[in-house]
Amino acid sequence: MTSKSEYFMKQAILLSKENLSKVSGGPFGAVIVKDGKLISGGSNQVTTHNDPTAHAEIEAIRAACKALNTFSLEGCEIYTSCEPCPMCLSAIYWARLDKIYYANTREDAAELNFDDEFLYNEIGKPSEHRKIPMTQILRDEAYVVFKEWILKENKIHY
């Protein structure tokens, strides 16, 4: 790992440490970098915002998209103080980040009762075997909208 990478990881760790001292969420921080420049940072704001999706990585992604005025973060890297949970990992893929650097592992997080293993296991199960029941209804009505999307000429792919 280069010293520049270590510098950016230290910034993510610093955000996690600052968050811990503010008691504004969990001990997690993340930064997004493009072309060797820090674009955004975020820390866990779940309890501050009463938003279970306000993880550090999500906060950093939202801020980077706003700063760069785009929904695609191609060409960017994320440095996060902990291995991303399934939600954050999915968001990273949706945002098209090029690389993930992380410090603590998901096993380290589990020791603090931030245990994502249940979610990793749930995702792999068929929907009928998941803990939260899933019921499909009105597919034919909803599919009409999908068909319209296919025909729409001025759509923006993402």
mmCIF file of all heavy atoms in Angstrom, residues 122-150:
data_model
loop_
_atom_site.group_PDB
_atom_site.id
_atom_site.type_symbol
_atom_site.label_atom_id
_atom_site.label_comp_id
_atom_site.label_asym_id
_atom_site.label_seq_id
_atom_site.Cartn_x
_atom_site.Cartn_y
_atom_site.Cartn_z
ATOM 1 N N GLU A 122 -28.697 -14.117 4.773
ATOM 2 C CA GLU A 122 -30.080 -13.899 4.303
ATOM 3 C C GLU A 122 -30.130 -13.661 2.805
ATOM 4 O O GLU A 122 -31.017 -14.167 2.119
ATOM 5 C CB GLU A 122 -30.692 -12.670 4.979
ATOM 6 C CG GLU A 122 -31.480 -12.836 6.227
ATOM 7 C CD GLU A 122 -32.650 -13.791 6.206
ATOM 8 O OE1 GLU A 122 -33.764 -13.408 5.801
ATOM 9 O OE2 GLU A 122 -32.450 -14.927 6.625
ATOM 10 N N ILE A 123 -29.206 -12.870 2.294
ATOM 11 C CA ILE A 123 -29.205 -12.502 0.889
ATOM 12 C C ILE A 123 -29.110 -13.738 -0.011
ATOM 13 O O ILE A 123 -29.741 -13.796 -1.057
ATOM 14 C CB ILE A 123 -28.065 -11.503 0.589
ATOM 15 C CG1 ILE A 123 -28.397 -10.157 1.229
ATOM 16 C CG2 ILE A 123 -27.827 -11.350 -0.907
ATOM 17 C CD1 ILE A 123 -27.252 -9.179 1.260
ATOM 18 N N GLY A 124 -28.356 -14.730 0.422
ATOM 19 C CA GLY A 124 -28.174 -15.924 -0.378
ATOM 20 C C GLY A 124 -29.346 -16.891 -0.360
ATOM 21 O O GLY A 124 -29.395 -17.818 -1.168
ATOM 22 N N LYS A 125 -30.294 -16.680 0.525
ATOM 23 C CA LYS A 125 -31.432 -17.596 0.643
ATOM 24 C C LYS A 125 -32.499 -17.285 -0.404
ATOM 25 O O LYS A 125 -32.692 -16.126 -0.770
ATOM 26 C CB LYS A 125 -32.085 -17.461 2.024
ATOM 27 C CG LYS A 125 -31.232 -17.942 3.168
ATOM 28 C CD LYS A 125 -31.977 -17.741 4.485
ATOM 29 C CE LYS A 125 -31.147 -18.152 5.669
ATOM 30 N NZ LYS A 125 -31.855 -17.892 6.939
ATOM 31 N N PRO A 126 -33.242 -18.319 -0.836
ATOM 32 C CA PRO A 126 -34.419 -18.036 -1.669
ATOM 33 C C PRO A 126 -35.400 -17.177 -0.870
ATOM 34 O O PRO A 126 -35.469 -17.285 0.359
ATOM 35 C CB PRO A 126 -35.009 -19.424 -1.938
ATOM 36 C CG PRO A 126 -33.926 -20.395 -1.596
ATOM 37 C CD PRO A 126 -33.041 -19.728 -0.592
ATOM 38 N N SER A 127 -36.127 -16.306 -1.551
ATOM 39 C CA SER A 127 -36.994 -15.349 -0.846
ATOM 40 C C SER A 127 -37.966 -16.023 0.119
ATOM 41 O O SER A 127 -38.261 -15.477 1.180
ATOM 42 C CB SER A 127 -37.745 -14.472 -1.843
ATOM 43 O OG SER A 127 -38.518 -15.253 -2.713
ATOM 44 N N GLU A 128 -38.438 -17.214 -0.211
ATOM 45 C CA GLU A 128 -39.409 -17.881 0.671
ATOM 46 C C GLU A 128 -38.781 -18.411 1.967
ATOM 47 O O GLU A 128 -39.490 -18.799 2.885
ATOM 48 C CB GLU A 128 -40.143 -19.007 -0.071
ATOM 49 C CG GLU A 128 -39.277 -20.156 -0.533
ATOM 50 C CD GLU A 128 -38.663 -19.962 -1.916
ATOM 51 O OE1 GLU A 128 -38.715 -18.848 -2.473
ATOM 52 O OE2 GLU A 128 -38.092 -20.940 -2.439
ATOM 53 N N HIS A 129 -37.455 -18.376 2.067
ATOM 54 C CA HIS A 129 -36.771 -18.862 3.270
ATOM 55 C C HIS A 129 -36.158 -17.737 4.110
ATOM 56 O O HIS A 129 -35.475 -18.003 5.094
ATOM 57 C CB HIS A 129 -35.686 -19.879 2.894
ATOM 58 C CG HIS A 129 -36.233 -21.122 2.291
ATOM 59 N ND1 HIS A 129 -36.981 -22.040 2.992
ATOM 60 C CD2 HIS A 129 -36.167 -21.591 1.018
ATOM 61 C CE1 HIS A 129 -37.341 -23.027 2.194
ATOM 62 N NE2 HIS A 129 -36.870 -22.773 0.982
ATOM 63 N N ARG A 130 -36.410 -16.498 3.731
ATOM 64 C CA ARG A 130 -35.853 -15.370 4.480
ATOM 65 C C ARG A 130 -36.689 -15.068 5.718
ATOM 66 O O ARG A 130 -37.865 -15.407 5.776
ATOM 67 C CB ARG A 130 -35.762 -14.133 3.579
ATOM 68 C CG ARG A 130 -34.748 -14.307 2.476
ATOM 69 C CD ARG A 130 -34.598 -13.058 1.661
ATOM 70 N NE ARG A 130 -33.652 -13.298 0.574
ATOM 71 C CZ ARG A 130 -33.703 -12.700 -0.592
ATOM 72 N NH1 ARG A 130 -34.636 -11.790 -0.833
ATOM 73 N NH2 ARG A 130 -32.818 -12.971 -1.521
ATOM 74 N N LYS A 131 -36.075 -14.409 6.686
ATOM 75 C CA LYS A 131 -36.740 -14.100 7.949
ATOM 76 C C LYS A 131 -37.939 -13.173 7.746
ATOM 77 O O LYS A 131 -38.977 -13.342 8.369
ATOM 78 C CB LYS A 131 -35.743 -13.474 8.926
ATOM 79 C CG LYS A 131 -36.343 -13.207 10.289
ATOM 80 C CD LYS A 131 -35.330 -12.682 11.264
ATOM 81 C CE LYS A 131 -36.023 -12.421 12.597
ATOM 82 N NZ LYS A 131 -35.114 -11.917 13.591
ATOM 83 N N ILE A 132 -37.792 -12.149 6.899
ATOM 84 C CA ILE A 132 -38.904 -11.236 6.610
ATOM 85 C C ILE A 132 -39.652 -11.798 5.410
ATOM 86 O O ILE A 132 -39.071 -11.952 4.329
ATOM 87 C CB ILE A 132 -38.404 -9.806 6.320
ATOM 88 C CG1 ILE A 132 -37.689 -9.237 7.552
ATOM 89 C CG2 ILE A 132 -39.562 -8.912 5.902
ATOM 90 C CD1 ILE A 132 -37.063 -7.866 7.326
ATOM 91 N N PRO A 133 -40.934 -12.108 5.579
ATOM 92 C CA PRO A 133 -41.695 -12.683 4.470
ATOM 93 C C PRO A 133 -41.771 -11.734 3.272
ATOM 94 O O PRO A 133 -41.887 -10.519 3.425
ATOM 95 C CB PRO A 133 -43.097 -12.898 5.061
ATOM 96 C CG PRO A 133 -42.916 -12.865 6.538
ATOM 97 C CD PRO A 133 -41.728 -11.982 6.794
ATOM 98 N N MET A 134 -41.718 -12.322 2.081
ATOM 99 C CA MET A 134 -41.840 -11.560 0.838
ATOM 100 C C MET A 134 -43.005 -12.147 0.046
ATOM 101 O O MET A 134 -43.073 -13.358 -0.133
ATOM 102 C CB MET A 134 -40.555 -11.656 0.012
ATOM 103 C CG MET A 134 -39.362 -10.994 0.670
ATOM 104 S SD MET A 134 -37.823 -11.170 -0.295
ATOM 105 C CE MET A 134 -38.208 -10.179 -1.733
ATOM 106 N N THR A 135 -43.891 -11.271 -0.419
ATOM 107 C CA THR A 135 -45.047 -11.700 -1.202
ATOM 108 C C THR A 135 -45.134 -10.852 -2.461
ATOM 109 O O THR A 135 -45.198 -9.627 -2.381
ATOM 110 C CB THR A 135 -46.352 -11.545 -0.383
ATOM 111 O OG1 THR A 135 -46.219 -12.274 0.834
ATOM 112 C CG2 THR A 135 -47.551 -12.043 -1.166
ATOM 113 N N GLN A 136 -45.156 -11.498 -3.602
ATOM 114 C CA GLN A 136 -45.263 -10.771 -4.862
ATOM 115 C C GLN A 136 -46.741 -10.576 -5.201
ATOM 116 O O GLN A 136 -47.528 -11.513 -5.139
ATOM 117 C CB GLN A 136 -44.584 -11.563 -5.986
ATOM 118 C CG GLN A 136 -44.608 -10.840 -7.309
ATOM 119 C CD GLN A 136 -43.967 -11.644 -8.432
ATOM 120 O OE1 GLN A 136 -43.898 -12.862 -8.376
ATOM 121 N NE2 GLN A 136 -43.487 -10.937 -9.437
ATOM 122 N N ILE A 137 -47.104 -9.325 -5.532
ATOM 123 C CA ILE A 137 -48.478 -9.026 -5.957
ATOM 124 C C ILE A 137 -48.452 -8.001 -7.090
ATOM 125 O O ILE A 137 -47.509 -7.210 -7.210
ATOM 126 C CB ILE A 137 -49.362 -8.507 -4.783
ATOM 127 C CG1 ILE A 137 -48.794 -7.225 -4.187
ATOM 128 C CG2 ILE A 137 -49.513 -9.578 -3.705
ATOM 129 C CD1 ILE A 137 -49.703 -6.569 -3.152
ATOM 130 N N LEU A 138 -49.461 -8.005 -7.916
ATOM 131 C CA LEU A 138 -49.693 -7.034 -8.995
ATOM 132 C C LEU A 138 -48.520 -6.898 -9.968
ATOM 133 O O LEU A 138 -48.247 -5.817 -10.496
ATOM 134 C CB LEU A 138 -50.075 -5.666 -8.428
ATOM 135 C CG LEU A 138 -51.364 -5.618 -7.594
ATOM 136 C CD1 LEU A 138 -51.590 -4.219 -7.039
ATOM 137 C CD2 LEU A 138 -52.560 -6.067 -8.421
ATOM 138 N N ARG A 139 -47.856 -8.005 -10.268
ATOM 139 C CA ARG A 139 -46.730 -7.955 -11.203
ATOM 140 C C ARG A 139 -47.166 -7.459 -12.572
ATOM 141 O O ARG A 139 -46.473 -6.640 -13.186
ATOM 142 C CB ARG A 139 -46.080 -9.322 -11.350
ATOM 143 C CG ARG A 139 -44.915 -9.261 -12.334
ATOM 144 C CD ARG A 139 -44.317 -10.637 -12.620
ATOM 145 N NE ARG A 139 -43.238 -10.511 -13.574
ATOM 146 C CZ ARG A 139 -43.363 -10.705 -14.886
ATOM 147 N NH1 ARG A 139 -44.543 -11.016 -15.410
ATOM 148 N NH2 ARG A 139 -42.331 -10.586 -15.688
ATOM 149 N N ASP A 140 -48.292 -7.931 -13.066
ATOM 150 C CA ASP A 140 -48.721 -7.528 -14.413
ATOM 151 C C ASP A 140 -48.895 -6.017 -14.515
ATOM 152 O O ASP A 140 -48.493 -5.404 -15.513
ATOM 153 C CB ASP A 140 -50.028 -8.237 -14.803
ATOM 154 C CG ASP A 140 -49.830 -9.735 -15.012
ATOM 155 O OD1 ASP A 140 -48.664 -10.170 -15.203
ATOM 156 O OD2 ASP A 140 -50.832 -10.473 -14.977
ATOM 157 N N GLU A 141 -49.468 -5.409 -13.485
ATOM 158 C CA GLU A 141 -49.649 -3.950 -13.485
ATOM 159 C C GLU A 141 -48.313 -3.222 -13.412
ATOM 160 O O GLU A 141 -48.084 -2.236 -14.105
ATOM 161 C CB GLU A 141 -50.550 -3.527 -12.329
ATOM 162 C CG GLU A 141 -51.993 -3.945 -12.518
ATOM 163 C CD GLU A 141 -52.879 -3.508 -11.364
ATOM 164 O OE1 GLU A 141 -52.630 -2.422 -10.800
ATOM 165 O OE2 GLU A 141 -53.807 -4.260 -11.042
ATOM 166 N N ALA A 142 -47.431 -3.714 -12.579
ATOM 167 C CA ALA A 142 -46.118 -3.079 -12.429
ATOM 168 C C ALA A 142 -45.261 -3.267 -13.669
ATOM 169 O O ALA A 142 -44.485 -2.373 -14.045
ATOM 170 C CB ALA A 142 -45.405 -3.639 -11.202
ATOM 171 N N TYR A 143 -45.427 -4.393 -14.336
ATOM 172 C CA TYR A 143 -44.606 -4.682 -15.512
ATOM 173 C C TYR A 143 -44.931 -3.765 -16.687
ATOM 174 O O TYR A 143 -44.067 -3.512 -17.543
ATOM 175 C CB TYR A 143 -44.732 -6.157 -15.914
ATOM 176 C CG TYR A 143 -43.587 -6.603 -16.797
ATOM 177 C CD1 TYR A 143 -42.312 -6.768 -16.276
ATOM 178 C CD2 TYR A 143 -43.781 -6.820 -18.156
ATOM 179 C CE1 TYR A 143 -41.258 -7.148 -17.080
ATOM 180 C CE2 TYR A 143 -42.726 -7.201 -18.970
ATOM 181 C CZ TYR A 143 -41.466 -7.361 -18.434
ATOM 182 O OH TYR A 143 -40.406 -7.722 -19.230
ATOM 183 N N VAL A 144 -46.124 -3.225 -16.692
ATOM 184 C CA VAL A 144 -46.501 -2.258 -17.735
ATOM 185 C C VAL A 144 -45.541 -1.061 -17.699
ATOM 186 O O VAL A 144 -45.099 -0.565 -18.743
ATOM 187 C CB VAL A 144 -47.971 -1.796 -17.563
ATOM 188 C CG1 VAL A 144 -48.286 -0.613 -18.449
ATOM 189 C CG2 VAL A 144 -48.918 -2.950 -17.828
ATOM 190 N N VAL A 145 -45.201 -0.619 -16.519
ATOM 191 C CA VAL A 145 -44.267 0.511 -16.373
ATOM 192 C C VAL A 145 -42.890 0.114 -16.903
ATOM 193 O O VAL A 145 -42.219 0.908 -17.573
ATOM 194 C CB VAL A 145 -44.188 0.979 -14.905
ATOM 195 C CG1 VAL A 145 -43.217 2.146 -14.753
ATOM 196 C CG2 VAL A 145 -45.569 1.358 -14.391
ATOM 197 N N PHE A 146 -42.461 -1.112 -16.611
ATOM 198 C CA PHE A 146 -41.174 -1.582 -17.137
ATOM 199 C C PHE A 146 -41.178 -1.575 -18.664
ATOM 200 O O PHE A 146 -40.193 -1.197 -19.293
ATOM 201 C CB PHE A 146 -40.873 -2.995 -16.625
ATOM 202 C CG PHE A 146 -40.223 -3.038 -15.268
ATOM 203 C CD1 PHE A 146 -40.222 -1.951 -14.409
ATOM 204 C CD2 PHE A 146 -39.604 -4.198 -14.851
ATOM 205 C CE1 PHE A 146 -39.613 -2.007 -13.174
ATOM 206 C CE2 PHE A 146 -38.985 -4.270 -13.615
ATOM 207 C CZ PHE A 146 -38.988 -3.183 -12.773
ATOM 208 N N LYS A 147 -42.271 -2.005 -19.254
ATOM 209 C CA LYS A 147 -42.375 -2.010 -20.713
ATOM 210 C C LYS A 147 -42.273 -0.588 -21.266
ATOM 211 O O LYS A 147 -41.645 -0.356 -22.300
ATOM 212 C CB LYS A 147 -43.686 -2.666 -21.163
ATOM 213 C CG LYS A 147 -43.687 -4.169 -21.014
ATOM 214 C CD LYS A 147 -45.002 -4.743 -21.496
ATOM 215 C CE LYS A 147 -45.054 -6.239 -21.341
ATOM 216 N NZ LYS A 147 -46.360 -6.778 -21.762
ATOM 217 N N GLU A 148 -42.890 0.358 -20.573
ATOM 218 C CA GLU A 148 -42.809 1.759 -20.995
ATOM 219 C C GLU A 148 -41.368 2.261 -20.912
ATOM 220 O O GLU A 148 -40.915 3.036 -21.758
ATOM 221 C CB GLU A 148 -43.749 2.626 -20.158
ATOM 222 C CG GLU A 148 -45.218 2.390 -20.454
ATOM 223 C CD GLU A 148 -46.156 3.168 -19.533
ATOM 224 O OE1 GLU A 148 -45.691 4.121 -18.857
ATOM 225 O OE2 GLU A 148 -47.344 2.823 -19.496
ATOM 226 N N TRP A 149 -40.645 1.844 -19.896
ATOM 227 C CA TRP A 149 -39.239 2.230 -19.732
ATOM 228 C C TRP A 149 -38.414 1.750 -20.929
ATOM 229 O O TRP A 149 -37.577 2.479 -21.466
ATOM 230 C CB TRP A 149 -38.676 1.664 -18.434
ATOM 231 C CG TRP A 149 -37.188 1.824 -18.297
ATOM 232 C CD1 TRP A 149 -36.240 0.873 -18.535
ATOM 233 C CD2 TRP A 149 -36.472 2.993 -17.924
ATOM 234 N NE1 TRP A 149 -34.981 1.379 -18.320
ATOM 235 C CE2 TRP A 149 -35.097 2.685 -17.943
ATOM 236 C CE3 TRP A 149 -36.840 4.291 -17.568
ATOM 237 C CZ2 TRP A 149 -34.102 3.605 -17.623
ATOM 238 C CZ3 TRP A 149 -35.845 5.205 -17.245
ATOM 239 C CH2 TRP A 149 -34.501 4.866 -17.268
ATOM 240 N N ILE A 150 -38.674 0.513 -21.347
ATOM 241 C CA ILE A 150 -37.940 -0.047 -22.486
ATOM 242 C C ILE A 150 -38.117 0.831 -23.722
ATOM 243 O O ILE A 150 -37.164 1.074 -24.464
ATOM 244 C CB ILE A 150 -38.402 -1.498 -22.773
ATOM 245 C CG1 ILE A 150 -37.940 -2.425 -21.644
ATOM 246 C CG2 ILE A 150 -37.862 -1.996 -24.110
ATOM 247 C CD1 ILE A 150 -38.565 -3.811 -21.694
#
